[in-house]
Amino acid sequence: MLMRTDPFRELDRLAQQLTGVTGTWSRPSAMPMDAYREGEEYVISLDLPGVAKDAIDVDVERNMLTVRAERRPAAKPDGVVMELSERPLGAFSRQLVLADTLDTERIRADYEAGVLTLRIPIAERAKPRKVAIGGGSAHQQIST
């Protein structure tokens, strides 16, 4: 139902984990996701812990789904000295090419407990259907 658009995304993610470099708007970090079919919908779940709902942007243009988010540093009172900071900050992005069999006009998005869940209905034209078999009148012989 979807195709990966960047074969090097996984290598970038591993490099970011090893170096500790966080995402920027010009080079955002990837966000982990699951994608599966559930009945008549395709479901995509993206992990965005600690990201405010208003810092998430979901766009669809033709069959390209783009999810962008930003986790900003929390405000700290004066005099606080950070001793350890492992939680990634910065920009996150994921682009997916959706199959023509999905109805991109009716995507629903929910955000709960740090997980963005997108539900995309399977398009009616992609669902299995019976084909009626007609009589032989369409193939009448022409006499000369």
Side-chain angles (χ1 to χ4, degrees):
M1 291 291 174
L2 61 95
M3 297 173 274
R4 288 183 175 250
T5 58
D6 184 358
F8 299 103
R9 178 65 96 178
E10 188 65 18
L11 290 174
D12 286 345
R13 186 186 66 77
L14 290 171
Q16 287 171 354
Q17 284 181 340
L18 292 173
T19 62
V21 175
T22 59
T24 63
W25 283 113
S26 61
R27 189 95 171 127
S29 298
M31 56 189 84
M33 70 171 235
D34 290 334
Y36 54 93
R37 183 173 176 166
E38 184 178 277
E40 298 300 314
E41 293 182 317
Y42 200 69
V43 181
I44 300 170
S45 298
L46 299 127
D47 284 349
L48 293 167
V51 175
K53 183 178 171 181
D54 63 347
I56 301 171
D57 185 39
V58 180
D59 292 313
V60 178
E61 186 176 336
R62 298 186 190 194
N63 286 5
M64 179 68 72
L65 173 75
T66 304
V67 179
R68 290 183 193 89
E70 182 179 15
R71 183 174 17 210
R72 299 171 184 107
K76 308 234 180 332
D78 290 339
V80 170
V81 177
M82 196 65 140
E83 292 189 21
L84 179 65
S85 181
E86 294 181 342
R87 298 171 56 218
L89 300 173
F92 302 88
S93 178
R94 194 76 186 240
Q95 282 191 317
L96 304 168
V97 177
L98 302 177
D100 290 333
T101 57
L102 299 175
D103 186 353
T104 58
E105 298 293 320
R106 299 187 311 145
I107 295 176
R108 292 188 334 265
D110 295 303
Y111 186 61
E112 184 177 340
V115 178
L116 175 66
T117 303
L118 305 171
R119 294 186 172 276
I120 311 168
I122 306 296
E124 286 298 320
R125 67 182 179 277
K127 293 179 183 176
R129 61 191 170 282
K130 292 284 185 186
V131 176
I133 301 172
S137 63
H139 297 291
Q140 295 178 3
Q141 291 184 349
I142 301 174
S143 55
T144 56

